[in-house]
Amino acid sequence: MSMGKVRYKRIEDLPGVGPATAKKLRELGFSTVESIAMASVKELAAAGIGEKRAQEIINAARSAIALTFISAEELVKMQQNVERLTTGSKALDRLLGGGLETQSITEFYGEFGSGKSQICMQLCVNVQLPRERGGLEGGALYIDTEHTFRTERIIQMAKHVGLDPKEVVKNIIYAEAFTSDHQMFLLDHADEVIKEHNIRLIIIDSLTAHFRSEYVGREALAERQQKLSKHLHKLIRLARAFNAVAVVTNQVMAKPDVFFGDAVAPIGGHIVAHTSHTRIYLRKAKGQIRIARLVSSPYLPEGEAIFKITENGIEDVAEEEAAKVRRR
Ligand code: GTP
Ligand code: MG
């Protein structure tokens, strides 16, 4: 958060944090004053800090970034700080109330090939655009669990929007997660990288794949949901601390035997719903065309948008073509 006066630049500058404590905090993933301000006493206590001292350190960090008591006027300012990121499709942006919001999580779910990863890669390019073109003039962090990120595809998309592909690639920080624990570890230790590279977009593609394959059966369900919930909690705190857009993907299977509505069967149950969480269901139409349905949002109405995936990336569909899809 860029509000308030930051008096402590590094965590060592916080009262009560010596070099040894700072080292332990970093090992636990608290490398910035921002992340400590968002931490709980319990989390810091894991660094061998007494609860009282942990609370003092957190308070100091909070005062430094003005997260304690704020006036209603300041709250409005903080909400005004929410920015939007373009998807590349005007129709999809409209459905989302002007693009993906910072400080909240957007989930794209749908079956294989529905375009989840393509949207993620497009967003990695778009976040680097100037604000007047719907970007956030920042970098992207891509946590990839299925080895789907393709640099060549990024280059293609960057060229289309007129950005220097070399620069665009440089501003995407890529991390492959090998297990669900590793995935959580990566996010838990992401704050320094986010700060250093002015990351304004955090992607987890896919959020659920590792969790599903590792936590199998009814007995494992509670533990899996608990871990996922913790993971999402970390994500939302990072998104708030750095005014970033957070995107997660989730594969679900289409259920062709259901006659009414377009029911989908989540392979391993729905993920834990979060208060600041927008969910978009993607489905395939003819050829390159995809339909996005806004399923839930903290305040936007439900609705649908039609877009396509082309050589250029995510694009709008001509109105006549969209009308044809709608009639079907
Ligand atoms: P899973 O990860 O398997 O669940 O699927 P997903 O939802 O992530 O699908 P993804 O975003 O990978 O979409 C794949 C689809 O995007 C392909 O079926 C193609 O239709 C389209 N696509 C991917 N790359 C290109 C490309 O370079 N050019 C064009 N025209 N289309 C592409
Ligand atoms: Mg994918």
Side-chain angles (χ1 to χ4, degrees):
M1 211 76 54
S2 55
M3 313 173 37
K5 261 191 294 185
V6 180
R7 279 169 291 156
Y8 311 112
K9 263 182 110 171
R10 300 168 316 140
I11 61 172
E12 285 89 342
D13 302 334
L14 290 164
V17 179
T21 306
K23 185 164 174 275
K24 272 185 234 141
L25 285 171
R26 285 213 169 84
E27 278 163 15
L28 288 169
F30 297 103
S31 313
T32 57
V33 175
E34 283 86 346
S35 69
I36 290 175
M38 299 284 182
S40 68
V41 169
K42 253 205 186 135
E43 284 174 314
L44 288 208
I49 302 169
E51 293 208 351
K52 187 163 170 280
R53 186 149 73 98
Q55 189 62 66
E56 284 164 7
I57 293 170
I58 291 168
N59 289 348
R62 286 189 181 158
S63 72
I65 64 167
L67 273 176
T68 43
F69 293 107
I70 54 171
S71 67
E73 191 195 358
E74 282 171 317
L75 182 66
V76 169
K77 239 188 263 162
M78 193 168 141
Q79 283 157 351
Q80 280 169 349
N81 256 346
V82 169
E83 293 185 88
R84 287 175 186 282
L85 170 61
T86 181
T87 59
S89 151
K90 288 200 177 72
L92 191 48
D93 285 353
R94 256 197 312 276
L95 182 72
L96 290 162
L100 278 75
E101 270 192 350
T102 60
Q103 301 180 32
S104 82
I105 298 172
T106 303
E107 174 191 352
F108 288 98
Y109 72 102
E111 65 172 320
F112 74 93
S114 58
K116 303 181 291 295
S117 298
Q118 292 296 313
I119 289 179
C120 289
M121 285 186 262
Q122 183 74 64
L123 291 170
C124 285
V125 174
N126 293 359
V127 72
Q128 304 188 37
L129 287 168
R131 284 191 167 74
E132 61 271 20
R133 291 184 61 197
L136 299 173
E137 298 169 23
L141 172 68
Y142 201 111
I143 298 180
D144 187 0
T145 68
E146 299 182 300
H147 211 75
T148 40
F149 183 86
R150 292 277 170 276
T151 308
E152 314 83 73
R153 185 63 171 143
I154 294 287
I155 290 170
Q156 215 174 12
M157 290 170 167
K159 279 186 187 153
H160 180 70
V161 297
L163 291 177
D164 177 0
K166 265 203 203 125
E167 279 302 310
V168 168
V169 169
K170 236 194 268 167
N171 291 324
I172 303 171
I173 306 298
Y174 175 83
E176 190 171 0
F178 299 105
T179 63
S180 67
D181 272 343
H182 186 218
Q183 182 180 328
M184 290 181 76
F185 176 91
L186 287 172
L187 196 69
D188 287 345
H189 292 77
D191 66 318
E192 206 160 28
V193 149
I194 291 171
K195 193 172 180 174
E196 235 167 63
H197 293 86
N198 183 31
I199 298 291
R200 302 296 308 282
L201 168 68
I202 307 165
I203 289 172
I204 308 177
D205 181 22
S206 130
L207 173 74
T208 45
H210 283 317
F211 286 93
R212 272 180 190 148
S213 63
E214 292 166 26
Y215 295 86
V216 187
R218 272 190 167 277
E219 324 77 63
L221 191 67
E223 194 189 348
R224 185 183 72 192
Q225 295 305 85
Q226 200 186 350
K227 289 227 165 148
L228 265 174
S229 165
K230 196 172 165 220
H231 195 37
L232 283 177
H233 207 79
K234 179 74 196 187
L235 182 61
I236 190 68
R237 284 193 283 172
L238 289 171
R240 293 216 177 110
F242 296 100
N243 197 17
V245 170
V247 174
V248 301
T249 69
N250 189 11
Q251 197 196 59
V252 293
M253 256 192 313
K255 234 185 181 175
D257 55 330
V258 173
F259 292 106
F260 300 102
D262 28 63
V264 287
I267 294 166
H270 281 296
I271 64 167
V272 190
H274 198 283
T275 42
S276 58
H277 188 162
T278 301
R279 309 189 68 216
I280 296 148
Y281 170 45
L282 298 175
R283 64 187 200 274
K284 296 182 225 176
K286 215 176 124 207
Q288 303 178 315
I289 298 178
R290 299 291 183 274
I291 303 167
R293 160 164 280 275
L294 184 68
V295 175
S296 71
S297 148
Y299 58 89
L300 290 168
E302 276 198 22
E304 286 194 345
I306 296 163
F307 66 96
K308 61 182 175 181
I309 309 170
T310 71
E311 290 308 304
N312 298 331
I314 304 300
E315 291 193 291
D316 274 311
V317 169
E319 189 39 48
E320 320 78 86
E321 212 174 349
K324 247 191 263 165
V325 176
R326 267 185 234 110
R327 250 179 274 127
R328 219 175 278 134

